[in-house]
Amino acid sequence: MTTKRAMFLLIFLALQGSAASQAPADRAASQGSLRQIIPGHYVYTANNAGRLFNGGVVATNEGVLVFDALESEAIARAEQRAIADVIKQPIRYLVSSPFHDPFSKGNLAYGDVFKIGHENYRAGLLDQMQRGNLGGDEQRTRMPNATYRDRMTFYLGGKEIRVLYFGAAHTKGDSILFVPQDRIAYMSEVFFNEEFPNMAGGYGVSWIRVLDAVRALDADIFIPGHGPIPDDPRQTRAALDRARQILVDARDGIQNEIALGASEDQAVATVKLQQYERLPSFAAQREVVLRRIYKELKGTLP
């Protein structure tokens, strides 16, 4: 009996150790949630230290399209499990908008799925991975199978799906996914809801033009890449207008300072944008936004 008890104890401890070693990955993979916005359209949201990252899901009777794979292979696998449980259709396409890791690292889970991105997205992703010295297998898995220049239209389950490019915004290759039949547009990091925009590599003046083009679409619902989605998703139009106003106020403030002959440092010091100081990321991004807009207006932003 003593020998048997010892063997059972060893097996129990081994199983406990195995479970403990897998716990961090399981926790990471369970941090997302799938929410239906309207019939046939879902958002998968990952919460990273209180900050919300949203990816889109278009469901049809011929399969599923995912918009942005989010920040890790584990999160992407969790989204795939949620799609399998709730939608019960295979994933046919992955469309990616920003090349940054928080929205493209999850591509690793989509090795067998047809991947689409703007040609500038492909260039930005390749450059990012090469500068990071990532292995060839990861580079091949994450890269798109097809790129487009201005727009791509295809059909899935009777739905017309448009992948649109309106110019540089958060990056040089941001895609907008628009389903006209359902009047819904997925915007990724072109739309920061209830958050000050991140413009580390963005183009604020062009970004406003992109937002105007999106607002002109025949859509009622605009899905942000960051931030909450209201219970009534039609309220996202007003939220999009508020996000646009941040960029307009920043542009107008800098433009006025340039007209007065202000240097970049003088303009940034003068344009406070205090009306937005309570928004998340304001302290870290105010100066970044203003400096990039100054350079863009002066024609010196690469």
Side-chain angles (χ1 to χ4, degrees), residues 108 126 129 133-143:
L108 288 168
L126 180 60
M129 292 191 296
N133 295 316
L134 299 183
D137 287 345
E138 176 165 343
Q139 292 189 36
R140 284 187 292 272
T141 302
R142 292 175 65 181
M143 290 288 280

Side-chain angles (χ1 to χ4, degrees), residues 181-202:
Q181 175 181 327
D182 299 325
R183 302 174 66 89
I184 186 169
Y186 297 85
M187 298 183 62
S188 192
E189 288 191 294
V190 176
F191 181 11
F192 287 70
N193 186 28
E194 297 184 15
E195 182 177 322
F196 201 79
N198 182 304
M199 206 180 290

Side-chain angles (χ1 to χ4, degrees), residues 2 7 10 20 23-24 94 98 104 110 121 123 168 205 207 213 217 234 245 250 253 293-294 298:
T2 302
M7 289 177 64
L10 288 172
L94 170 67
S104 73
Y110 289 89
Y121 160 82
V205 179
W207 197 331
L217 294 172
R234 291 171 298 181
Q245 192 61 45
I293 287 178
Y294 185 97
K298 296 286 283 186

Side-chain angles (χ1 to χ4, degrees), residues 28 31 46-49 51 53 68-76 100-108 142:
Q31 288 176 350
N47 188 325
N48 187 338
R51 192 178 185 211
F53 293 72
D68 285 335
L70 300 181
E71 62 184 326
S72 70
E73 184 174 1
I75 290 290
H100 301 136
D101 279 350
F103 282 81
S104 73
K105 190 77 169 178
N107 290 19
L108 288 168
R142 292 175 65 181

Side-chain angles (χ1 to χ4, degrees), residues 67-70 94-101 103-108 110 115-129 138-139 141-149 163 165 171-175 188:
F67 184 64
D68 285 335
L70 300 181
L94 170 67
V95 177
S96 297
S97 185
F99 62 84
H100 301 136
D101 279 350
F103 282 81
S104 73
K105 190 77 169 178
N107 290 19
L108 288 168
Y110 289 89
K115 295 180 284 296
I116 299 166
H118 188 264
E119 56 188 27
N120 291 342
Y121 160 82
R122 183 186 187 280
L125 178 62
L126 180 60
D127 176 68
Q128 174 182 267
M129 292 191 296
E138 176 165 343
Q139 292 189 36
T141 302
R142 292 175 65 181
M143 290 288 280
N145 301 103
T147 63
Y148 73 100
R149 179 163 296 177
V163 188
Y165 178 71
T171 73
K172 286 184 176 180
D174 300 304
S175 289
S188 192

Side-chain angles (χ1 to χ4, degrees), residues 59 89 106 115 117 235 254 298:
Q89 287 287 343
K115 295 180 284 296
Q235 293 178 359
I254 292 295
K298 296 286 283 186

